[in-house]
Every structure is written in C-alpha cells, then in structure tokens.
Amino acid sequence: MRRQLRVLAATLALAACHAPIQSSPAPARVPPAWSRSADIYEVNIRQYTPEGTFAAFQRHLPRLRALGVDILWIMPVQPIGKVNRKGPLGSPYSIADYTAINPEYGSADDFRRVVDEAHRLGMHVILDWVANHTAFDNRWVYEHRGWYVLRPDGSISNARDNEGHETDWTDVAELNYDNPDMRREMIADMRWWLENMHIDGFRCDVALGVPMDFWNDARRELAAVRPDIFMLAEAESPVLYSAFDMSYGWEFHHLLNELAQGKQGTEALDQYLAQQRATYPPDAYRMYFTSNHDENAWNGTEFERMGTNMFPAFVLAATMQSSMPLLYTGQEVSNRKRLRFFDKDTVNWNGPSLAPFYHSMFELKHGEEALANGAWGGAQASLTTDGGSRVYAFSRNRGASRVVVAVNFGDTAVTARYDGLRQPGSYIDWFTRDTARLDSSGRIGIPAHGYRIFVGDSSKR
C-alpha cells in the first residue's frame, strides 16, 4: 500500500502513538542462515502473464532460479474487496478474506504447487501481508465492528497515513490494534499460511502503521511454527528490528534517484552510510532497489527515473553494506511500462534482456562473503578518488573475500585515481574476467553511466 510519508521521523512518531496493550519483550531474532547471502524478487501475479494465474507464473520458476533468485516475495493473493473498489480489478492490498485465495489467480492447490516447486528448486517464498487494514467487505466488518478504527459518527475510517489522517485509499478500512481479539485473529491467520501453504515468511505492508508489540508477539508465535521464518517490513526505522529481519531502504532509493538525475553528488553516499551505521543494529538487513510495485506504478520505471544510470544505481543497491538487492517483475526484460495498479497490464516479456547483468550481480553476491547481508558481510571502506561528485568507489573485505566497486554517474568516461585500498594485490575484473593488479593507490577506468567491480583473485590468496 502506497504511503507518501516514509521519512524516519514520521515513522517513529507513528510507532510512538500506539500504546501497547501489555508489556511484550522482544523475541530473540536471528535472521535465518539461508537468507545471509540472498537476493529477493518481487512477483506481481496479476501482471506477470497474460493469464495472470499461479499456474502460468509457475512456468517461470526455473528461469528465475537460473537468474539467481533466492527469495520470491509474492504480492497479496487473497480475494480483493468489491465495496469501494478502485478501478476494474481493485487493489491487491484490499483484503476481503485473509485465509482465502483470489479465484482470479487460481486455487489454493495452485498456490501450494508454486510454493512446493519453488522450494524444490531451492528458493524460498514470502507472502505480502496486509495487517494495517482490510477491505470494507471483509467479514470482520460485519462480525466485529470493534476491530476497526471508527469516526466520531460511528462509521469505519479509511486507511490512515503516518500522521493519523485519513487517506484517499477509500477502498480499505483501518484496523484497531487496541482490540486484543483482533490481534489474536490476525496472528492466527498468518499462522494458517505457514501451516497450510508452507510459506517461509512475510513482507508486512505499512509495518509502522501497526504497533511494534503486535509484531513482537507475531514473531514469537510464528517462529514456534517456523523457527527460521523471514520477516520483511515495508517501513524504515531501527525500531523494527525487534521483530523483523529486513526493512525497506526508502531513503537510499530516493538518494539513488537523485544521484542518477544529478541532483546530489556521490559524497552523499558516505553521509548516508555513516548515518546508517550510527542508527541501525549491525545485523540489520536493508532492502535496496531501483524499482518495486509502488515506484513503478506511481513514480515511473527505473528508465524514467534514472535513465542509463539505473545500472550503476543497481550495482550500489547490490553491493553496499547490509544490502539485500531487490528485483521487481519485468526488470530483467527492460520493462518500460508503468504497470497499472487497479487493472490488468501484462509485462512485455519480449523486451531487451538484462538477465546477464542481473545474473552476474546475483552470482557475485552469492560467491563473495564480503557482500553477505547484515553483519555477515564485510565493512565498507570508501576509497578517495579524483573523479568528482559523479564517481564513487569503495572496498569490502571479509576473510579471504575482497571486493572493489567503482561507479560513474557522469556523462563521460573517466580514469579516476583512487587511494586507500586496504588489501592491494591481484584481482579479477568481475565482468571481463581479466586479471588486474590493484595497488593501495592507482587508477581505474570507468565508462560513462557505468561501473567496474573487482574481486580478489582466489588463485593468489
């Protein structure tokens, strides 16, 4: 669900406005071992194929595994509300029944087959979960009116923004987390998906619209069913990490847009990194991206927002400290459409393939311990360069793994002098496979709107 206010101060203020029902100590949270070098791919079932079904999507699973995808995040698959529906098909985030399947996508058995096949291929599956609100024709509206936020006249409120004001999302009704019965039922419904559909976790929509003590309770109870559960929050705040393994990197995404457009210089990357280190726990995963369903639908494709600078932007999203990179439906075939949010709008799978680029980035992440997620990766050390405010370079090392990254957001190729490489020696150019000697200081040629990545030569370790 789209939210316009994503800044840290607003989300912290929102979290503070919810008084917990009772003291709820944070559960022990350790990201599952299978997630520590993982990437993530967002699946828009409605727009993925002309059929828009689970069965049609399932045929893509071998291709996605070959691309290097580890985690499939599937957008909501439950029935969509009809009351106050927006557009012909409605928003997937308007949930009419938490434990049912949208018949437009197929059956429960069809969904289970997708999960089972993904698991067989070595991937994990997380489901988009909408805990902040429901459709206005969810049965809860008729059976449990007290489970919703009510206006002074007794009518049910629309979904609210980060400041508590009603939004124009008139198709969804705000839930009342002061009600303990609703909380229990919400967790029971989440547990149903673990027990019956065998998913591996949840991406939680508008996560800071829900009190943290609820998420702590949910994490504890869900982990009893699935000890290695994975939880992703659609929000950005350090308070999330008592219950969640990963949060959105909205601030970093906006910075990438501004770098690509020349509105900020690369010195802002060091400022961002310093702020993150001071604010977030060391084991916090951050999800970095150049597109997702919100950005694509409302702000445009990565080509609109970043042009050819989408390539160095994604390189940073995949290699910066703590990052788990996200790829959205169709990015691998240069999707240039703003996929409609409330109607059918199939991806054109015949677009120019970028699969080799994204596969290379995922393969790099899988193979280099220095690029692992959270505390399992290496610390990032910026390299001093003379390339100006359009060039940025850094190294990351952990154990025998050494990685050097250099990007150029400028319109002309540069041969940038760098200084401060802590582990000089023999390296391999990741994309050409040529060997190179990188001394503690030297020069790196970087194409316009381009990138260079070097990894330590394992034969010389």
Side-chain angles (χ1 to χ4, degrees):
M1 190 71 176
R2 180 88 180 141
R3 283 294 183 272
Q4 297 298 322
L5 300 176
R6 301 197 184 273
V7 295
L8 180 61
T11 53
L12 286 173
L14 177 63
C17 76
H18 291 282
I21 288 178
Q22 58 184 3
S23 176
S24 183
R29 180 195 60 81
V30 179
W34 56 259
S35 71
R36 292 176 186 172
S37 292
D39 54 69
I40 186 168
Y41 183 97
E42 182 184 4
V43 180
N44 187 332
I45 293 290
R46 175 187 284 171
Q47 315 299 23
Y48 214 90
T49 62
E51 302 91 333
T53 63
F54 301 129
F57 168 67
Q58 185 174 337
R59 296 194 289 269
H60 286 260
L61 290 177
R63 176 185 65 80
L64 292 174
R65 188 53 178 161
L67 184 64
V69 171
D70 300 307
I71 303 174
L72 298 172
W73 149 27
I74 300 180
M75 289 171 63
V77 300
Q78 294 97 331
I80 294 169
K82 295 179 180 178
V83 174
N84 300 336
R85 174 177 283 191
K86 287 178 174 282
L89 298 181
S91 167
Y93 294 85
S94 178
I95 306 297
D97 186 337
Y98 278 113
T99 57
I101 293 288
N102 186 341
E104 297 170 12
Y105 300 158
S107 67
D109 286 341
D110 292 333
F111 180 79
R112 194 179 294 108
R113 278 190 283 269
V114 167
V115 175
D116 289 346
E117 179 64 7
H119 287 165
R120 188 187 71 80
L121 292 170
M123 293 182 283
H124 291 79
V125 179
I126 66 173
L127 178 66
D128 218 324
W129 193 260
V130 187
N132 184 70
H133 48 261
T134 75
F136 274 96
D137 47 356
N138 189 298
R139 66 178 176 82
W140 291 3
V141 170
Y142 311 110
E143 297 175 7
H144 305 288
R145 195 172 187 81
W147 291 9
Y148 291 87
V149 173
L150 303 180
R151 302 184 182 107
D153 65 2
S155 61
I156 295 176
S157 170
N158 299 341
R160 301 190 173 202
D161 65 19
N162 291 339
E163 294 181 329
H165 303 133
E166 286 195 56
T167 69
D168 65 350
W169 291 99
T170 53
D171 57 337
V172 286
E174 186 86 353
L175 286 165
N176 175 17
Y177 274 83
D178 290 336
N179 190 298
D181 292 332
M182 186 277 290
R183 289 178 173 227
R184 283 190 288 270
E185 183 63 24
M186 182 68 72
I187 294 174
D189 287 354
M190 296 177 80
R191 189 171 61 245
W192 184 91
W193 287 87
L194 297 178
E195 294 173 339
N196 294 278
M197 297 299 175
H198 309 135
I199 63 171
D200 303 291
F202 298 94
R203 176 267 191 191
C204 297
D205 189 62
V206 196
L208 279 174
V210 174
M212 277 308 304
D213 67 307
F214 168 81
W215 291 126
N216 290 339
D217 290 343
R219 173 88 188 208
R220 181 184 302 102
E221 293 192 34
L222 298 174
V225 177
R226 178 67 194 260
D228 61 346
I229 192 172
F230 185 81
M231 299 284 285
L232 162 61
E234 191 227 3
E236 182 161 31
S237 170
V239 304
L240 293 159
Y241 287 91
S242 61
F244 291 93
D245 303 293
M246 183 161 73
S247 65
Y248 265 52
W250 283 115
E251 185 180 354
F252 187 69
H253 174 72
H254 297 152
L255 175 56
L256 289 178
N257 282 332
E258 292 178 345
L259 288 168
Q261 296 164 17
K263 295 178 180 177
Q264 286 225 51
T266 52
E267 62 277 359
L269 289 165
D270 284 333
Q271 297 165 9
Y272 173 83
L273 188 62
Q275 182 263 335
Q276 297 299 294
R277 286 171 171 165
T279 305
Y280 284 82
D283 64 349
Y285 294 5
R286 307 305 311 284
M287 189 177 76
Y288 291 159
F289 49 89
T290 55
S291 189
N292 61 34
H293 70 272
D294 277 327
E295 292 302 305
N296 171 274
W298 310 116
N299 293 328
T301 71
E302 63 272 29
F303 297 98
E304 291 179 76
R305 290 176 282 100
M306 298 177 173
T308 52
N309 275 334
M310 55 162 281
F311 292 105
F314 190 85
V315 166
L316 290 181
T319 58
M320 289 278 286
Q321 186 171 338
S322 300
S323 167
M324 181 189 289
L326 167 74
L327 198 64
Y328 176 50
T329 290
Q331 283 193 270
E332 67 268 41
V333 289
S334 307
N335 173 57
R336 292 177 179 267
K337 288 200 294 184
R338 296 189 182 197
L339 297 171
R340 293 192 292 271
F341 201 75
F342 307 113
D343 203 352
K344 189 78 177 81
D345 193 14
T346 307
V347 170
N348 175 14
W349 291 102
N350 295 317
S353 177
L354 295 176
F357 168 72
Y358 290 117
H359 177 267
S360 291
M361 294 307 304
F362 292 161
E363 184 182 22
L364 173 71
K365 186 166 185 67
H366 295 154
E368 292 296 328
E369 185 183 6
L371 299 183
N373 302 321
W376 291 269
Q380 182 170 327
S382 298
L383 303 179
T384 303
T385 73
D386 64 357
S389 64
R390 307 298 283 152
V391 171
Y392 186 69
F394 64 89
S395 65
R396 294 183 64 188
N397 307 314
R398 187 177 178 92
S401 176
R402 298 172 292 153
V403 179
V404 175
V405 178
V407 297
N408 176 16
F409 288 97
D411 294 330
T412 58
V414 298
T415 301
R417 181 173 180 80
Y418 70 88
D419 187 51
L421 183 59
R422 295 177 181 177
Q423 290 200 14
S426 180
Y427 283 78
I428 296 174
D429 185 307
W430 179 249
F431 291 97
T432 69
R433 307 297 171 163
D434 295 332
T435 58
R437 171 77 193 183
L438 297 184
D439 296 318
S440 57
S441 61
R443 291 190 174 276
I444 296 177
I446 318 171
H449 312 294
Y451 47 88
R452 299 286 301 278
I453 300 176
F454 300 89
V455 299
D457 186 349
S458 59
S459 68
K460 303 293 179 63
R461 290 174 183 169

